[in-house]
Amino acid sequence: MPVTTQQLIQWKQQGRAIVALTAWDYAIAQILDAAGVDLILVGDSMAVMLGYKTTLPITLEEMLHHAKAVCRGVQRALVVVDLPFLTYQESIQQAIQSAGRVLKETGAQAVKLEGGYPAMVETVTRLVQAGIPVMGHVGLTPQSIHQLGLRKQGKTQETAERIFNEAIALEQAGVFSLVLEHIPADLAMQITQKISIPTIGIGAGSHCDGQVLVTSDVLGLSERQPPFAKVYTNLRATITQAVQDYSAEVRDRQFPK
């Protein structure tokens, strides 16, 4: 049976860990889904896979294109799509239109928005009221790279309290889950214990209700991995060797025989 937002909440209550990874195309999505991943995020981190230096340049049209391909490869996992930078911050109406397009055109079940400041909480409230499931995201928010950099957030009492309060406000606004990125493990644990919706950690310690990583980091495809990622295999080296072997056989006229 397909995974639902309500099922994620039930899994938190049952203490069942949630497995999440990112996908950017049909083939990877199909593999992740068949392998049993619970949640597939079409993240704007895909921008790096498209050659951008940050997540900021990627457009809604690019996200829609890739999300459609991902959804065609998924039968069971819950698919969540990031709304890219400046496709939801301008106004509530803009956010509703962008999120609505994601659900109508791709087949995804939810969207993810960054930030828990008051205006964003109001936007989330309106999206949820409109019937659009929303995943929240606090801590390190990559769309704010020019303000925050890529440093761990919540290290001081003041910033930790702000992130904690943002998490509470987003739960009250109706998000079904909350990404906690690159914050201290004790802060992530406090948030996880306080709220009734599942937390999905990325660089936030082991006390979250689930974990997400960028799939290209897990597979060793990225040129550089963040400090909290774990490389489970080195496909970059495997692919390089395969291409070199193929090239050598073609040049030596060993392929095809």
Side-chain angles (χ1 to χ4, degrees):
M1 294 292 291
V3 177
T4 65
T5 58
Q6 288 302 311
Q7 193 167 27
L8 296 185
I9 296 172
Q10 292 172 3
W11 284 344
K12 175 186 176 84
Q13 297 167 350
Q14 296 166 1
R16 179 200 184 284
I18 299 164
V19 180
L21 282 170
T22 64
W24 54 86
D25 62 14
Y26 173 84
I28 291 294
Q30 192 178 47
I31 292 169
L32 299 185
D33 191 53
V37 169
D38 302 313
L39 187 153
I40 294 177
L41 174 66
V42 185
D44 59 1
S45 56
M46 177 176 58
V48 178
M49 300 300 295
L50 297 178
Y52 298 120
K53 299 298 184 184
T54 72
T55 64
L56 301 185
I58 199 165
T59 67
L60 181 60
E61 296 302 325
E62 288 173 312
M63 293 298 297
L64 291 171
H65 173 79
H66 286 272
K68 290 176 185 178
V70 168
C71 287
R72 287 193 290 267
V74 174
Q75 295 184 5
R76 173 186 171 273
L78 181 77
V79 178
V80 181
V81 179
D82 270 343
L83 291 188
F85 181 60
L86 286 188
T87 65
Y88 61 100
Q89 293 98 333
E90 189 175 313
S91 67
I92 291 174
Q93 186 60 35
Q94 182 200 36
I96 292 174
Q97 289 176 345
S98 297
R101 286 195 66 190
V102 169
L103 267 61
K104 285 173 67 69
E105 297 179 28
T106 72
Q109 292 88 6
V111 296
K112 181 169 75 64
L113 284 63
E114 291 185 6
Y117 50 90
M120 188 55 58
V121 171
E122 183 181 0
T123 295
V124 169
T125 300
R126 290 288 299 276
L127 287 173
V128 173
Q129 289 173 345
I132 299 171
V134 177
M135 172 180 273
H137 184 158
V138 297
L140 174 59
T141 48
Q143 291 179 11
S144 303
I145 185 172
H146 295 312
Q147 285 184 325
L148 304 178
L150 296 176
R151 300 181 300 273
K152 178 179 283 191
Q153 303 297 305
K155 294 167 65 175
T156 67
Q157 182 176 348
E158 179 183 359
T159 56
E161 288 179 358
R162 174 181 57 78
I163 293 170
F164 184 88
N165 290 333
E166 287 178 348
I168 301 301
L170 285 169
E171 180 190 24
Q172 293 173 346
V175 298
F176 68 88
S177 182
L178 186 62
V179 171
L180 305 178
E181 180 167 358
H182 210 17
I183 63 174
D186 58 345
L187 174 58
M189 180 174 65
Q190 292 170 16
I191 293 172
T192 300
Q193 292 175 343
K194 178 67 175 179
I195 64 179
S196 60
I197 56 172
T199 58
I200 309 296
I202 176 167
S206 61
H207 299 290
C208 298
D209 298 303
Q211 297 291 330
V212 63
L213 283 175
V214 174
T215 299
S216 56
D217 293 339
V218 171
L219 300 180
L221 288 169
S222 304
E223 291 184 81
R224 293 179 299 275
Q225 285 83 20
F228 47 77
K230 180 176 178 180
V231 180
Y232 285 80
T233 189
N234 191 343
L235 286 191
R236 193 177 186 89
T238 301
I239 293 169
T240 299
Q241 186 61 57
V243 173
Q244 289 173 342
D245 291 346
Y246 166 72
S247 300
E249 289 193 7
V250 170
R251 290 177 182 130
D252 293 341
R253 299 194 181 276
Q254 298 298 308
F255 176 86
K257 290 185 178 180

